Amino acid sequence: MSLIVRCVDVSTNPIKVKEFFLEFFIVNDTAGQGLFEELQKLELDIDNVRGQGYDNGSNMSGKYQGVQRKLLDVNPRALYTPCGCHSLNLTFCDIANSCGKAKYFFGIIQRIYTLFANSTKQWKILKDNVKHLTLKSLSVTRWESRIESVRAIRFQAADLREALLQLVESYGDSKITSEANYLATYELGNFEFLLGMVIWYDVLGVVNVVSKNLQYEDMLIDVAIDKVKGLITFFEKYRENGFTEAMCTAKEIATDMGIDPMFPEKRKIRRKKHFDENTCEPSQ
């Protein structure tokens, strides 16, 4: 456990918030009770506590056995407030993980990065064709930071596709060329992928701005609430108008890349009929 003291310096204009790291503690029990007992060893007057703020880990924020509950049992005025940035990140993570197409989209993003990052030769082919934004690996924990990974493809889709096709022509490894050809033809050459790319860039961009604002050391609670409300308003408006606008943008990108702006048709599954069934009945 790390012990950090945060102080408010009111002698300056504007007022400054300062943090000082004091020391590490060895913690053998990371459950809520164990961490609370470590806090008690500091001999701080818990009656003076007026607020608690943790991430969403159950040992800290648990409403029954977490540290916040243990402190509230001693001092009911030590109100608990979950970390706004952490809550926003977890909410966004749950949103994305609940959609199969979203998981597939980000899987393709990571496959493209991994393909070029596997060797310096493949990375050089990428750099020769993509001059500006560099591909980045996806962050596992900070979902809003994935905007950097999507941005590199959003504004360089044509150049990136050209790099993949050049990899197919110049590379000798059959596994690499097969993967590059598939990504260039069926992913970057797929209108559905381009539309998802535009939508996720819009959504990730707004969420990333709000998340960074919430992390400012001088952020006030009323301002933070307004930022979150603004984000909710954005999603409500995007639900009404955003898809249409994203569709127009995706069609422009597809046209520039020479891709037919149409969704692939799903193959109709027909039930196999037995020889004794009535063939006049419509197939399901």
Side-chain angles (χ1 to χ4, degrees):
M1 178 190 295
S2 58
L3 178 61
I4 300 174
V5 175
R6 176 178 294 176
C7 307
V8 181
D9 187 356
V10 297
S11 64
T12 61
N13 189 15
I15 294 174
K16 293 183 178 180
V17 178
K18 299 181 179 180
E19 289 184 342
F20 301 93
F21 167 77
L22 300 185
E23 60 179 311
F24 286 119
F25 293 98
I26 297 177
V27 177
N28 296 317
D29 182 5
T30 58
Q33 182 63 38
L35 294 174
F36 179 69
E37 291 174 357
E38 291 294 331
L39 289 176
Q40 289 181 311
K41 293 179 182 178
L42 300 177
E43 299 182 358
L44 299 175
D45 190 351
I46 296 181
D47 287 336
N48 289 331
V49 177
R50 291 296 178 271
Q52 305 177 65
Y54 314 117
D55 61 20
N56 294 68
S58 60
N59 58 346
M60 301 300 293
S61 62
K63 62 186 299 184
Y64 299 113
Q65 299 297 329
V67 173
Q68 67 109 346
R69 179 73 262 170
K70 304 296 181 182
L71 270 170
L72 282 173
D73 290 340
V74 178
N75 179 5
R77 293 172 294 182
L79 299 178
Y80 164 65
T81 304
C83 172
C85 305
H86 199 268
S87 297
L88 179 61
N89 186 67
L90 286 180
T91 302
F92 199 63
C93 179
D94 288 342
I95 291 172
N97 285 332
S98 66
C99 176
K101 289 186 180 297
K103 291 190 288 186
Y104 183 80
F105 171 79
F106 286 109
I108 296 302
I109 296 288
Q110 185 63 30
R111 283 171 62 185
I112 293 174
Y113 170 82
T114 303
L115 179 65
F116 285 106
N118 271 341
S119 74
T120 54
K121 182 179 179 181
Q122 291 158 222
W123 193 259
K124 185 179 184 305
I125 294 176
L126 172 68
K127 298 297 291 182
D128 289 342
N129 291 273
V130 180
K131 302 294 185 181
H132 303 289
L133 300 173
T134 305
L135 292 181
K136 292 180 173 59
S137 180
L138 296 178
S139 171
V140 178
T141 55
R142 295 182 62 243
W143 263 80
E144 78 282 354
S145 69
R146 295 188 174 202
I147 180 65
E148 303 299 333
S149 303
V150 178
R151 180 185 287 116
I153 299 179
R154 162 67 176 83
F155 294 103
Q156 303 171 133
D159 296 336
L160 187 58
R161 190 182 183 211
E162 185 61 33
L164 288 169
L165 293 175
Q166 186 175 330
L167 195 61
V168 173
E169 296 174 358
S170 61
Y171 215 77
D173 191 320
S174 59
K175 182 179 179 181
I176 298 297
T177 55
S178 175
E179 175 76 352
N181 184 64
Y182 181 87
L183 292 173
T185 305
Y186 298 104
E187 301 304 344
L188 281 175
N190 184 353
F191 179 69
E192 184 174 317
F193 176 85
L194 297 180
L195 177 61
M197 174 185 70
V198 174
I199 292 175
W200 276 109
Y201 177 77
D202 293 341
V203 172
L204 285 167
V206 176
V207 173
N208 189 48
V209 170
V210 175
S211 181
K212 287 185 175 180
N213 285 334
L214 293 178
Q215 296 177 58
Y216 290 157
E217 62 180 16
D218 57 350
M219 173 58 64
L220 302 175
I221 185 65
D222 56 335
V223 178
I225 292 173
D226 289 339
K227 294 290 184 183
V228 175
K229 286 182 177 179
L231 182 61
I232 295 174
T233 301
F234 164 79
F235 278 113
E236 290 173 346
K237 292 181 178 179
Y238 200 87
R239 178 179 292 170
E240 299 297 328
N241 306 314
F243 183 81
T244 303
E245 296 174 0
M247 180 74 77
C248 294
T249 304
K251 286 183 178 179
E252 293 176 2
I253 297 174
T255 302
D256 293 340
M257 296 176 63
I259 298 171
D260 188 13
M262 299 290 292
F263 292 110
E265 293 186 3
K266 292 185 178 180
R267 183 175 64 87
K268 294 182 179 180
I269 300 176
R270 298 183 180 275
R271 186 175 64 86
K272 182 179 179 181
K273 289 186 175 182
H274 296 283
F275 69 92
D276 58 343
E277 286 189 271
N278 186 357
T279 57
C280 296
E281 294 179 358
S283 60
Q284 298 181 359

